[in-house]
């Protein structure tokens, strides 16, 4: 069996990073997957082509976020071509996600992709992540376990400090591999009134067994 450095490569247009790619990467990292996302793997001075090629070669799956922006880019189409080449031996590699597209829209750009079962962002990022997890977990062991940057008593100060895109995630799971608890943290401007309105922060401050924080930027 081939050893991979990453469980999944996320191919996406930059316009879809904030709403889809980054939140999805964070959710998957919380499940214990190692995800290749450009902003985490490409540093100042790196060769884009070399780093992306390495990501494509050394990732088990390719998550392709199909959107109007995706189909308008040359670079994303090149990434898709690379993932298609990996399927030449019949191995499933491409995991398509439709974002702001109908089947007819996808059909216009790629009849082959339109014929594949895809997840849709309209179902919610958590639902998309759950579907991906089921595929990845069925193909062999994942690369690593998720690691939180914070686990402890939740205070208002800590809530306000957590990075944008963070969420709460238990390390206990339901039968369908979804977390027993998963709650997104609001944007910074909405956190103070959220703290005042909710009772759960005080409950989580008691540190129930199996609870951990999963932040943005785990990959």
């Amino acid at each position: 069996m081939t050893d991979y450095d990453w469980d999944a490569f996320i191919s996406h247009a930059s316009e879809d990073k904030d709403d889809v790619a980054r939140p999805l990467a964070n959710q998957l990292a919380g499940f214990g997957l190692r995800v290749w996302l450009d902003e985490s793997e490409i540093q100042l001075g790196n060769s884009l082509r070399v780093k992306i090629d390495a990501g494509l070669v050394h990732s088990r799956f390719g998550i392709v976020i199909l959107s109007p922006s995706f189909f308008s880019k040359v670079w994303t189409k090149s990434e898709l071509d690379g993932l298609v080449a990996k399927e030449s031996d019949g191995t499933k590699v491409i995991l398509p996600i439709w974002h702001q597209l109908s089947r007819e829209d996808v059909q216009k750009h790629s009849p082959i992709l339109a014929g594949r079962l895809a997840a849709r962002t309209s179902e919610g990022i958590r639902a998309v992540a759950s579907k991906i997890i089921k595929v990845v977990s069925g193909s062999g062991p994942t690369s690593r376990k998720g690691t939180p940057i914070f686990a402890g008593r939740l205070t208002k100060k800590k809530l306000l400090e957590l990075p944008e895109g963070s969420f709460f995630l238990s390390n206990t799971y339901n039968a369908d591999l979804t977390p027993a608890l998963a709650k997104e943290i609001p944007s910074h401007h909405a956190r103070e009134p959220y703290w005042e309105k909710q009772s759960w922060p005080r409950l989580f401050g008691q540190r129930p067994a199996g609870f951990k924080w999963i932040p943005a930027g785990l990959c």
Side-chain angles (χ1 to χ4, degrees), residues 26-41:
N26 290 332
Q27 287 269 353
L28 295 174
F31 278 105
L33 270 64
R34 184 169 184 183
V35 180
W36 196 102
L37 185 65
D38 55 358
E39 65 181 13
S40 300
E41 302 296 338

Side-chain angles (χ1 to χ4, degrees), residues 18 29 47 66 71 76 86 100 114 129-130 141 151 164 180 202:
D18 290 342
S47 165
L66 303 173
F71 285 118
T76 50
K86 292 186 67 173
Q100 299 177 341
S130 179
E164 196 78 22
R202 294 155 180 80

